[in-house]
Amino acid sequence: MTTSSTETTPVIALPGRTAALLTGLGAAATAGSALMAWTWTSEYPGDLTYYGSPAGLQWLALTAGLVTLVLLLANQGVPGLRWAAPRRSNNAVVLAAVGGLAVAWFSVISISTDLGGLANLEPGGWVLAVGSLLALAGSLGLPLDRRTAVPLRILDRRLFLLVPIAPVVWFATHAIPEDKPVAPVLTALAGGLAIATGAVLLVQLGHLANSWLRLGTVNRPLPAPRALPSWVEVALIVVAFAIGLFAITFGIDTEYGELFTGYLLLAASVAAALGRSGLIPRLRSLTVKYQTVTTGAAFAAAASFPFTQTSDQYTSVATNILIFATVALGLNIVVGLAGLLDLGYVAFLGVGAYSAALVSGSPASPIHVQFPFWGAVLTGAVVSMVFGVVIGAPTLRLRGDYLAIVTLGFGEIFRITMLNLNGTTGPKITNGSNGIPRIPDLEILGWNLGKPTTIFGFELGRFSNYYLLMLLVTAFVVLVFARVGNSRIGRAWVAIREDETAAEAMGINGFRLKLLAFALGACLAGLAGTVQAHVSYTVTPDQYTFAEALPPNSAFLLAAVILGGMGTISGPLAGATLLFLIPKKLEFLADYQLLAFGIALIVLMRVRPEGLIPNRRRQLEFHEADIPAQATGDSVALSKAGA
């Protein structure tokens, strides 16, 4: 099958049956290795020493092998499995095989590094490594959707001078005694050069692989699905959300960094594979058809999370993710809809938290009052909104970088002000760097969220209670975002974002609407801050900075919106979840944690510059050139204007 710019051909010239057989054998070996021992000692996390009892990374290998095998059989037209690959694209098999290879070789390298060499691998480890290679090699021999030509990109040749320089500096570093003053400088320089050299080589290898593989997308529409009873379609939606709940719970509950890293590698490849196979688009059409059922199933799946936990260890993580995601949704109104770059947004979270703490009845509060739950929530939201109006009124006449600088200054002014209201350099309101501690738990209609609660026979701890409360707050913020985004005001915000001058020429009051976006975003952040103050027991100024190793802070919030997908609901939720989990789960890397986190962000933004879950307009801004033009005059070519 060939078009003007794409073709369906294999990368490796193999007979069709041979390629399919090789892929199947490799996938089966990858899955089967999970039932074998990978190493002889239990010192490696997860204890991979048993036969017939998968654990840790072995479950990921089993999943990768089975997904690859199912997609292969579905593309081969095996009855009963054709639903898994509606598009019949073997590219999905390649993506699944890449995921299996990534998990396999990450596991092998990790075991060898931790235990001291390949000699520590048991037969299962070797079967895993060889099987994943066979699966990928076989999948590249299948007919694939490819571009007809991809020119090879060569980086600036001066960058390749790093390749001989880095080893020289490295050997020079080891030749100098450690007690010399210049030794630490040379060590840092050698490390930086090594990282830069590796980055250059990896990028160039990526260009070489892209030019060789030439993988692309043949524009083939999804075939019409077989007619099913309504109850079956609803059941499919429920099953899909149940699988999603299991996958997310597995990721949050990972007990060590190696397992979480493998989980990320597998999740990314499987999601890409199912999207390319057509299964996710087919499911998306069902969710559009049954929007009410989809909303209910999503909420029910999220509410079920605490019932899957045996302690509050990971429920506390999920609660903080919801707080972070809710604040990111509020920022999405300011950045994603109105197009205002706010670098001090975390200050509004702090305003809400401090307002709630001051009226919480804490012994450290100078006000000495205790508002009920609804009073504290209203106080935090209203005070944050007032601050949003006060800060926005004089600054929103600025645009672009100037507005960003002013908002960055506001964030720092808030933090410094909270430090100075300590009774020495200013009035005693916030206790300075000590903050406001001993904030009591919330009590709603006699329900003390700090005490264990029994629901349907399950005992829920303190963080589970706050998780359910925060889930309701997040649902409220999602509802507000959806209603406002689809309203006349939301469309006016988008017009301002795209071209403020043109929007004002059409009669839109740009300043008033930008101020409204600023106030609403601040109000939603303050709402989340109210709950955060009670969850953390203490509110201190250092929790609300521009940049820090762990969220929430302004830099992470902005990254969550951009990485997840500006202007969407699910995008910031996904981005916030990833940005909270990645640094927390990569703590095992110690001094290299931030380096690994930065590399992960670069890779994600390189692969998905429009965001993980972008809206159609933003997706076209990055990939409009990849969309083939319509062949006849009867159809209207898709463009940004028509998105």
Side-chain angles (χ1 to χ4, degrees), residues 87-119:
R87 283 203 177 117
R88 298 293 188 270
S89 173
N90 287 314
N91 290 46
V93 182
V94 173
L95 290 170
V98 166
L101 182 77
V103 171
W105 282 89
F106 168 76
S107 303
V108 169
I109 293 172
S110 178
I111 291 172
S112 302
T113 302
D114 285 5
L115 301 182
L118 293 173

Side-chain angles (χ1 to χ4, degrees), residues 63-64 66-72 74-75 83-100 139 145 222 265-282 608:
T63 303
L66 292 179
V67 170
T68 305
L69 192 59
V70 168
L71 290 176
L72 172 68
N75 280 297
W83 55 268
R87 283 203 177 117
R88 298 293 188 270
S89 173
N90 287 314
N91 290 46
V93 182
V94 173
L95 290 170
V98 166
S139 65
D145 299 339
L222 275 174
L265 294 173
L266 179 63
S269 62
V270 169
L274 296 182
R276 188 61 59 89
S277 72
L279 188 60
I280 290 180
R282 179 65 57 79
R608 298 281 292 182

Side-chain angles (χ1 to χ4, degrees), residues 156-179:
D156 190 329
R157 288 172 173 78
R158 288 171 293 185
L159 292 174
F160 292 100
L161 293 175
L162 292 170
V163 176
I165 291 175
V168 173
V169 175
W170 183 264
F171 285 119
T173 301
H174 287 74
I176 296 176
E178 295 182 359
D179 57 348

Side-chain angles (χ1 to χ4, degrees), residues 365-390:
S365 172
I367 299 181
H368 301 297
V369 297
Q370 184 171 5
F371 285 7
F373 165 71
W374 60 268
V377 168
L378 288 178
T379 300
V382 170
V383 173
S384 295
M385 183 174 63
V386 170
F387 266 82
V389 173
V390 170

Side-chain angles (χ1 to χ4, degrees), residues 91-333:
N91 290 46
V93 182
V94 173
L95 290 170
V98 166
L101 182 77
V103 171
W105 282 89
F106 168 76
S107 303
V108 169
I109 293 172
S110 178
I111 291 172
S112 302
T113 302
D114 285 5
L115 301 182
L118 293 173
N120 293 283
L121 289 177
E122 286 289 292
W126 294 106
V127 171
L128 171 71
V130 175
S132 63
L133 284 174
L134 287 177
L136 181 60
S139 65
L140 292 177
L142 299 170
L144 302 174
D145 299 339
R146 306 174 70 200
R147 289 165 287 181
T148 53
V150 176
L152 176 61
R153 292 179 58 188
I154 303 294
L155 298 177
D156 190 329
R157 288 172 173 78
R158 288 171 293 185
L159 292 174
F160 292 100
L161 293 175
L162 292 170
V163 176
I165 291 175
V168 173
V169 175
W170 183 264
F171 285 119
T173 301
H174 287 74
I176 296 176
E178 295 182 359
D179 57 348
K180 296 293 184 181
V182 74
V185 177
L186 281 178
T187 301
L189 178 61
L193 286 174
I195 294 170
T197 303
V200 169
L201 293 177
L202 283 176
V203 170
Q204 188 57 63
L205 285 174
H207 290 325
L208 289 171
N210 185 41
S211 178
W212 175 57
L213 295 174
R214 295 187 283 115
L215 296 179
T217 302
V218 172
N219 188 23
R220 53 167 71 91
L222 275 174
R226 188 176 65 179
L228 295 173
S230 298
W231 68 269
V232 175
E233 294 180 333
V234 169
L236 290 175
I237 294 174
V238 173
V239 169
F241 276 100
I243 294 174
L245 171 64
F246 174 80
I248 293 174
T249 302
F250 185 92
I252 294 176
D253 290 357
T254 50
E255 297 179 352
Y256 46 95
E258 292 86 350
L259 180 58
F260 182 73
T261 304
Y263 167 80
L264 282 183
L265 294 173
L266 179 63
S269 62
V270 169
L274 296 182
R276 188 61 59 89
S277 72
L279 188 60
I280 290 180
R282 179 65 57 79
L283 179 62
R284 189 181 297 121
S285 65
L286 282 181
T287 60
V288 171
K289 183 178 179 181
Y290 299 97
Q291 292 186 0
T292 303
V293 173
T294 300
T295 303
F299 185 82
S304 300
F305 175 77
F307 298 95
T308 65
Q309 305 298 302
T310 57
S311 70
D312 266 356
Q313 179 181 0
Y314 298 111
T315 313
S316 63
V317 175
T319 304
N320 285 293
I321 288 175
L322 282 181
I323 294 172
F324 186 32
T326 302
V327 182
L329 273 176
L331 179 60
N332 198 24
I333 292 178

